[in-house]
Amino acid sequence: MKTEFSLAHLTVLGCAPPEMIYIASLCGYDYVSIRPIYMKLPNEPNYDLAHNKAMMKHTKEAMRRTGMRIHDIELAKIDDTIDVEDYKAAIETGAELGAKSLLSSIWTEDKSMYIEKFHHLCELAKPYGMTVDLEFVTWAGVKNLKQAVEVLNSIDIDNKGLMIDTLHFNRSRVALEELDNLPPEWFNYVHLCDGPKEIPETKEGLIHTGRDERLYCGEGEINIADIIRRIPRPVVYSLELPHLKRVKELGYTEHARRCLVTAKEYLEKHNLENFCLK
């Protein structure tokens, strides 16, 4: 089974989906992971394809010309104020582009509410054949694997999933053993990147590395290999590796290329190409 890689939008966030697709094709990726849900973060471009018909048209044209596929769309954030019904247009757009998964994360402490909303999000995506993959984020409401597993165990629907990001896994201080005995069908893809040994003590420090300064695989101190070895089935590796300084120095295409080359070198070095635990 061929190991497949996706270029995550945060790695090249300044590129609109059509440009991102051409870059991914030039670099040798199998997929792109796009961000058509506008989150209104500081300095975040708006790639709302559901309402930008011209960009949607150019995205389809780029896919046709390159043969590039969309693996997943993001980010269906859950918090106290968001009505998940508002994500329906983005889900329909993602399905139209062939996306397999919808990424979600939880940013509230209200457990009963976020479990209900996550379940409803899965219901919205299910008719389109999409999984909804929950990512725990170190500075979010659901911030570790234990909390994410609790959410998934609380709902009875077969398109729920779990998305492991190696940076958040490390910085949430998750033990490797916590991955043991989780249902294989929960795993569809992972976010691969590296990071420094030191874990910031402040939210601001965590956010800075997460959004602005992740490292190439093998460049930092995260035990990526042992995390991958505990993933219970082959998954797509989505390379989420934003690094603003390197993008400024190298350009988006060269940065994206180095993300892929170093990931492949890391997997080969650790005998993890085509790795499957079971």
Side-chain angles (χ1 to χ4, degrees), residues 36-97:
I37 298 173
Y38 183 44
M39 297 175 60
K40 301 178 182 178
L41 296 173
N43 303 313
E44 180 196 12
N46 186 348
Y47 302 133
D48 180 1
L49 296 179
H51 298 98
N52 189 331
K53 301 305 181 185
M55 189 179 289
M56 181 68 165
K57 177 182 176 182
H58 293 312
T59 298
K60 288 181 175 180
E61 177 68 8
M63 292 175 67
R64 185 187 68 80
R65 288 182 177 274
T66 62
M68 187 60 55
R69 296 166 289 169
I70 308 294
H71 182 269
D72 57 277
I73 63 169
E74 61 176 53
L75 174 69
K77 178 179 178 180
I78 292 173
D79 67 13
D80 297 306
T81 62
I82 290 172
D83 182 352
V84 295
E85 283 282 340
D86 292 342
Y87 294 131
K88 192 168 183 179
I91 292 169
E92 291 173 348
T93 299
E96 186 177 344
L97 293 172

Side-chain angles (χ1 to χ4, degrees), residues 2 53 69 71 79 85 123 165 194 221-222 249 257 259-260 262 266 278:
K2 176 181 178 289
K53 301 305 181 185
R69 296 166 289 169
H71 182 269
D79 67 13
E85 283 282 340
E123 290 178 323
D165 180 301
D194 213 333
E221 299 292 333
I222 296 176
E249 293 171 349
R257 187 192 70 83
C259 289
L260 182 59
T262 53
Y266 183 91
K278 295 183 179 179

Side-chain angles (χ1 to χ4, degrees), residues 22-251:
Y22 286 117
I23 287 174
S25 178
L26 283 169
C27 294
Y29 287 84
D30 303 283
Y31 299 98
V32 293
S33 301
I34 62 173
R35 199 177 181 102
I37 298 173
Y38 183 44
M39 297 175 60
K40 301 178 182 178
L41 296 173
N43 303 313
E44 180 196 12
N46 186 348
Y47 302 133
D48 180 1
L49 296 179
H51 298 98
N52 189 331
K53 301 305 181 185
M55 189 179 289
M56 181 68 165
K57 177 182 176 182
H58 293 312
T59 298
K60 288 181 175 180
E61 177 68 8
M63 292 175 67
R64 185 187 68 80
R65 288 182 177 274
T66 62
M68 187 60 55
R69 296 166 289 169
I70 308 294
H71 182 269
D72 57 277
I73 63 169
E74 61 176 53
L75 174 69
K77 178 179 178 180
I78 292 173
D79 67 13
D80 297 306
T81 62
I82 290 172
D83 182 352
V84 295
E85 283 282 340
D86 292 342
Y87 294 131
K88 192 168 183 179
I91 292 169
E92 291 173 348
T93 299
E96 186 177 344
L97 293 172
K100 302 169 183 288
S101 300
L102 170 66
L103 184 65
S104 181
S105 56
I106 295 171
W107 300 79
T108 173
E109 305 292 336
D110 188 336
K111 186 185 295 186
S112 61
M113 182 189 68
Y114 68 62
I115 289 175
E116 180 181 351
K117 286 189 175 184
F118 185 78
H119 183 259
H120 187 37
L121 190 61
C122 291
E123 290 178 323
L124 290 175
K126 187 175 172 62
Y128 300 95
M130 296 172 65
T131 61
V132 181
D133 296 270
L134 179 59
E135 175 184 20
F136 59 90
V137 177
T138 313
W139 60 88
V142 170
K143 58 177 59 68
N144 57 47
L145 180 58
K146 181 179 179 181
Q147 290 176 305
V149 168
E150 183 178 24
V151 174
L152 298 183
N153 279 333
S154 298
I155 61 174
D156 183 18
I157 194 164
D158 62 7
N159 65 326
K160 61 187 177 183
L162 175 68
M163 206 290 298
I164 300 295
D165 180 301
T166 53
L167 183 75
H168 296 313
F169 188 98
N170 173 258
R171 295 198 160 191
S172 295
R173 295 177 170 85
V174 176
L176 289 166
E177 293 74 20
E178 292 182 52
L179 285 170
D180 295 344
N181 302 314
L182 294 180
E185 62 271 17
W186 285 4
F187 295 87
N188 300 297
Y189 65 112
V190 300
H191 278 168
L192 282 192
C193 69
D194 213 333
K197 181 178 181 179
E198 298 77 16
I199 298 176
E201 296 297 328
T202 66
K203 180 179 177 180
E204 292 74 21
L206 293 166
I207 291 173
H208 173 75
T209 304
R211 293 182 181 163
D212 300 341
E213 208 169 69
R214 301 192 188 200
L215 302 179
Y216 298 131
C217 293
E219 184 181 18
E221 299 292 333
I222 296 176
N223 190 356
I224 300 171
D226 281 353
I227 296 171
I228 292 173
R229 288 191 180 100
R230 279 184 152 85
I231 301 295
R233 70 172 184 173
V235 294
V236 170
Y237 297 123
S238 182
L239 304 186
E240 184 170 86
L241 214 153
H243 198 299
L244 300 188
K245 183 179 178 181
R246 283 178 172 164
V247 163
K248 187 174 181 179
E249 293 171 349
L250 302 170

